Amino acid sequence: FDEEMGMPPPPIQQKQAALPAIKLGVASSGKNKIFDPSSDFILTWNRVFLFSCFLALFIDPLYFYIPKIVYGTAYSCAGTDRHLTIILAFFRSITDLFYVIHIIIKFRTAFIKTSSTWGIFKGGDLVTDPKEIAWKYLRSDFAIDVVAALPLPQIIVWYVIPAIKYSIAEHNNNIMVLIVLAQYLPRLYLIFPLTYEIIEATKVVAKTAWQGAVYNLLLYMIASHVLGALWYLLSVDRQTACWKISCRNETRCDIRYLHCDMTPNQKWASTTDVFHSCNASDTSITFD
């Protein structure tokens, strides 16, 4: 092309200087950097964000282990594991930050707008206008990304459950399950389009066969991890449900006595039959 136009080719130094700009972004609009969706930066970020998504999917079911049963010689109670709550809130907030950063980057990532004038083989126009990018993102995946980024389990554990803690664990756990699973679905969904983008750019999701095997193993372990956490939480629910039924049948029993933050009546604790009739290791009890 340069020879036909009678123009000398650009110097090698200019070509080399242009490469980093091509890899990082495609255009600048004022102070805002617009990134090329096929650039090395976006590809690296997608891999980092995919790892953070897997980490988030492992962290969220751990909230099902926060409720706990404390068995004692005199009486037992249902409570919460405060140390686990603090640890989970810290790491969960870090993963939430990755989702927020991902939203910001998607507002600054160009997209290819298909057009009939370009033809099927040329793909279309690369749109770098921030307004068009934002409008397209708001109409597509923005709502899912926002739902995935909300710190809902932290709010439930630190504010909602303490406000209704004396209702005993059954209703609290139901709220926890609904919130975590409702947010778990969009977080799980984000993995698949993200994987597709990586495959489109590099033709593979993992660079080596071992990385691919680990990727598939993680998907299997996530499913088993969720089922295991649900099994534990449902076991806690069954224990507290038995206590509540037995407590209603006793005249001096108060539901609040079954919570670890409440000091029970010592006379009631020494004479109650609630814990004996709800002993899971006793096969003769009528409650399943």
Side-chain angles (χ1 to χ4, degrees), residues 33-259:
K33 188 73 174 180
I34 304 300
F35 298 104
D36 187 341
S38 61
S39 64
D40 290 348
F41 171 78
I42 295 299
L43 178 59
T44 302
W45 168 253
N46 285 341
R47 292 187 182 277
V48 172
F49 183 61
L50 181 62
F51 174 79
S52 68
C53 287
F54 276 111
L55 184 61
L57 292 177
F58 271 101
I59 290 176
D60 284 1
L62 293 177
Y63 274 93
F64 295 160
Y65 293 101
I66 289 179
K68 66 177 181 178
I69 301 295
V70 180
Y71 294 103
T73 54
Y75 64 92
S76 303
C77 60
T80 57
D81 191 333
R82 296 190 181 275
H83 294 289
L84 182 60
T85 303
I86 296 173
I87 294 173
L88 288 181
F90 174 75
F91 286 104
R92 220 275 184 171
S93 299
I94 294 177
T95 58
D96 291 345
L97 182 60
F98 277 89
Y99 284 94
V100 174
I101 296 174
H102 185 65
I103 293 175
I104 296 173
I105 290 178
K106 291 186 76 171
F107 271 114
R108 293 290 172 257
T109 303
F111 68 94
I112 297 176
K113 184 178 182 180
T114 57
S115 175
S116 58
T117 58
W118 279 87
I120 190 171
F121 296 106
K122 294 187 178 180
D125 298 316
L126 185 64
V127 178
T128 59
D129 181 30
K131 292 183 179 180
E132 290 191 47
I133 294 172
W135 179 241
K136 179 181 181 299
Y137 180 41
L138 289 173
R139 290 184 302 169
S140 56
D141 299 331
F142 177 73
I144 297 177
D145 291 342
V146 169
V147 171
L150 293 175
L152 296 181
Q154 294 97 306
I155 296 175
I156 295 299
V157 170
W158 289 104
Y159 298 101
V160 177
I161 290 181
I164 57 175
K165 63 182 179 180
Y166 291 125
S167 63
I168 204 60
E170 185 179 358
H171 298 296
N172 301 349
N173 296 346
N174 293 338
I175 295 173
M176 178 66 69
V177 170
L178 291 176
I179 293 299
V180 172
L181 291 183
Q183 196 176 28
Y184 200 83
L185 294 179
R187 289 194 164 198
L188 181 63
Y189 165 79
L190 289 178
I191 286 182
F192 299 102
L194 193 62
T195 303
Y196 176 77
E197 291 180 14
I198 296 175
I199 294 176
E200 281 289 300
T202 62
K203 306 305 178 185
V204 290
V205 68
K207 295 181 180 179
T208 65
W210 281 108
Q211 291 178 358
V214 170
Y215 174 81
N216 292 319
L217 181 62
L218 285 175
L219 292 176
Y220 167 76
M221 293 179 65
I222 285 175
S224 60
H225 177 45
V226 174
L227 291 176
L230 280 172
W231 182 274
Y232 171 83
L233 189 65
L234 293 175
S235 300
V236 173
D237 279 348
R238 294 302 292 166
Q239 179 70 84
T240 56
C242 183
W243 286 349
K244 290 177 67 175
I245 293 174
S246 300
C247 184
R248 293 192 185 102
N249 296 329
E250 290 190 1
T251 55
R252 293 181 300 173
C253 182
D254 190 334
I255 294 294
R256 293 179 298 175
Y257 292 163
L258 303 176
H259 200 283

